[in-house]
Amino acid sequence: MLSERFYGIGEPLIQREQDTGVSAEEYLNLVKAVGCTAYRSWMHLTEILKDPVTPNEKAVQAHTRLLNRAVELNLEVTGMSHEWFLPEGCRQRMGHAVPKRDLTEGSLYRQTLDMLEQSWFTMVSLFPQVAQWEIGNEWNINAFLQPDGFLDSDMSHPFTPDEKLDIAVDLMYFAAKGVRRANPCARVVCFSPALSTPWLGGDLPDYLPPMYGIAWTLDKIYSRIKSGRFWSENTDDYFDMVAWHPYQMSTNQAERDADLFLHIEEPDFLWKDYNDAAYRVMCKYGDGHKQVILTEVGFTDCGSAELERKQAEYTKRILQIASGLPYVRTIYNFRLLNETGMLKKQGIESNQIGGLAEVYFGFFEEPDQGCRPRLKAKVLKEATGSKEDLETVGRRVAMTRSCSEL
């Protein structure tokens, strides 16, 4: 039986409000219309807070409006942050970075952990509307967990795979402490691992399909917690729910220098086993009772009508397979809207993630295209059983743009 919160979708709606002139809460009408009952919200500590103890009132007000509307629409919210503050003495003041791991009391690293706990306490205290907090994102790859100053260097000395996962366990423990102090009823969601391939900073053997990097990473996380070398051997002290990003990736290792999001095969029993393998790791360490949220799943077509048609069928298939996974509470489709503004802002014309491929994950077009539902939005609507007219709702949302944006 499906969880009542099985169908979800994610989008950084406060950012989209700033980019498009449509209020974030208006966009939630698209989430509701397509039949979703859960919404994943980007809520970075460094954007909502000025420092670990001081809220940014303007940002707090914007997110409060959005979250209150989510409550009105009966949408369960997963709040996610993957940035944090760093102490004086570091090269950076915020970002995805930490100083070298040093557990000595008063070290820059311990100060970072203490600031993280305080930041989460402050954040969670501000937003009782949020049911669960995803406390990190893809810390198993270099892009989301780096040495202090990494981006200002030649980036030739990232953390090793083992260093990243040692740090990830520390970060989860201190983040969970902050969340629980602020709201004991809120659920703590572990950081979401994705593929863990060597060219992204992981150590998954080349002979395994990239998405087995999720199970590979989780096993290393669990083994650390159970080793007695960290803060607690009880996984409950780190997270209540487990999360991962099960994108469908190409299994052709020769394509790794191209784009694993584009050269993909139809999801099948291998995609199911990527997820089952991760769940088998949970069971191995006694966490088989915990619920899982699939925090990002989606396809990008780079604007190709042919790929859009094909990937609508892929979306249908993934939703069907996921509906048969009894441990999954929610599958969060990535993402609500296309983002062509990214190209205009960054002048990107490549087909790599961060460029053209990043633009076309959306289930709906942007307001200047009338928030037209794309084919996979219709697939999602069919799966949820929604009776809404997506074209009508999309036009209505698009028409709320401020005059300055028209």
Side-chain angles (χ1 to χ4, degrees), residues 2 21 27 53 56 131 139 180 184 195 220 224 227 241 253-254 267 289 308 336 351 368:
L2 291 183
Y27 281 127
V53 298
N56 179 329
W139 287 340
R180 296 223 170 87
L195 68 168
K220 289 173 176 286
R224 281 166 166 76
S227 71
M241 304 174 73
Q253 297 298 287
H289 61 286
E308 183 183 359
L336 183 65
N351 286 338
D368 60 359

Side-chain angles (χ1 to χ4, degrees), residues 195-199 203-217 220 249-254 256 260 270 273-274 277 280:
L195 68 168
S196 193
T197 51
W199 60 92
D203 58 355
L204 183 74
D206 283 339
Y207 54 79
L208 290 176
M211 292 315 295
Y212 280 113
I214 294 169
W216 182 267
T217 299
K220 289 173 176 286
M249 297 288 187
S250 171
T251 58
N252 183 353
Q253 297 298 287
R256 71 185 189 188
L260 293 176
L270 182 58
D273 199 57
Y274 294 151
R280 290 194 292 268

